[in-house]
Amino acid sequence: MDVTVAVAGDAPADDLYSLRARLIEEDGLEVVLIESPAVPGRLGPGVDALQIVAGSVSSAFVASLVAWLRTRVGAVRVVVKSKDGAQIELDAKTVGALDAAGTAELIRELRAALEASEEK
């Protein structure tokens, strides 16, 4: 599995650092910050996304991503993009409103979509 995760919202860089902290706790995941070059008026590079690499589609990645998103407040949106260009978008409001069964189903669907993308 090799995907890029971007976050949109009020504080996308802070959210990316928060998500990274959550994901690096999972065994078997390599989590790399994707930085943009420094621009005038800003100290240092910006953080654009995370690259997540694992030997195969990771249940830990999918479950951690969904669990993290459930803790977000406000208009936070996550875009997961695979190497083949397939893209999955999730938002905190929708994910946070799911009950346990809905959350489990979302995790299954997300994992299946990533596996299908990997097979292409």
Side-chain angles (χ1 to χ4, degrees), residues 29-103:
L29 293 182
E30 179 183 343
V31 183
V32 178
L33 288 170
I34 299 174
E35 297 178 331
S36 58
V39 296
R42 185 173 70 192
L43 296 175
V47 179
D48 291 337
L50 299 175
Q51 180 179 15
I52 315 298
V53 179
S56 61
V57 174
S58 170
S59 294
F61 163 68
V62 173
S64 290
L65 175 64
V66 171
W68 174 84
L69 195 53
R70 289 178 61 82
T71 68
R72 303 291 96 191
V73 293
V76 177
R77 186 173 47 97
V78 171
V79 178
V80 179
K81 187 182 288 187
S82 65
K83 285 290 185 189
D84 72 352
Q87 186 170 294
I88 300 164
E89 295 187 30
L90 303 167
D91 70 86
K93 189 174 186 179
T94 302
V95 173
L98 296 173
D99 61 11
T103 300

